[in-house]
Amino acid sequence: PVGGVVSAPALQRRWWGASGLGAWAQQHGEEPQRIHVSAVDDLADATLSYNNLQTWDQYGHLDHLVALSRRVGRTRAFGDLWSYMLLAEGAIDIAGEFDVKAWDVAALIPVIIEAGGRVTSASGSTSFDELSVIATNGLLHDEVLGALAG
């Protein structure tokens, strides 16, 4: 994906990003603001959001998630678009889930990348075939992928 728009009408918020044009967010009635991922570069200071424990378990990664959760500063389970937009805005540093389809994450990816983040599958692939997504601020990505590999 090279462009994406993510809307949360109940929150009166919208985010968008496109290759080479940056990532933006807007609260209803306010001016758009450019957004950026965090500069956190140590897992001990990072916030991790995961969707739900059942799918991590179903895909054989629950033990890896628990091990990673012991290395980060805090964990939350916001889920769905909210985790990824908090990541793009720099409020959290790592988000991931399993059992995702291309249509679940296609719009999120350009926003995260243009905000300075990185998005892959749990194995590090950029293919949608693996049904997983790991998004980070970029600085933590390789370390997170390593932790999830066991």
Side-chain angles (χ1 to χ4, degrees):
V2 296
V5 176
V6 179
S7 292
L11 299 175
Q12 298 186 7
R13 306 266 327 256
R14 179 168 290 146
W15 302 262
W16 62 94
S19 295
L21 300 176
W24 301 83
Q26 185 175 25
Q27 180 79 32
H28 180 72
E30 297 181 10
E31 290 295 315
Q33 300 292 316
R34 185 114 190 220
I35 58 175
H36 301 279
V37 296
S38 76
V40 171
D41 62 358
D42 186 340
L43 281 177
D45 298 325
T47 299
L48 160 69
S49 178
Y50 54 89
N51 191 350
N52 71 56
L53 298 176
Q54 292 85 351
T55 55
W56 285 79
D57 191 28
Q58 177 185 346
Y59 283 82
H61 286 279
L62 182 58
D63 291 342
H64 299 140
L65 176 64
V66 171
L68 178 59
S69 75
R70 291 181 176 131
R71 296 178 60 192
V72 299
R74 66 200 75 60
T75 61
R76 300 291 184 260
F78 299 117
D80 298 325
L81 74 92
W82 191 234
S83 292
Y84 301 100
M85 295 305 95
L86 288 173
L87 173 80
E89 291 182 345
I92 70 170
D93 315 293
I94 307 160
E97 62 185 301
F98 284 85
D99 198 32
V100 295
K101 315 296 186 288
W103 54 82
D104 294 324
V105 295
L108 310 172
I109 292 171
V111 177
I112 294 166
I113 290 171
E114 285 298 310
R118 189 168 163 203
V119 183
T120 66
S121 70
S123 73
S125 169
T126 56
S127 168
F128 288 119
D129 297 337
E130 295 185 31
L131 304 178
S132 64
V133 64
I134 303 298
T136 70
N137 65 0
L139 300 171
L140 301 168
H141 206 85
D142 291 335
E143 193 171 3
V144 169
L145 291 181
L148 295 177

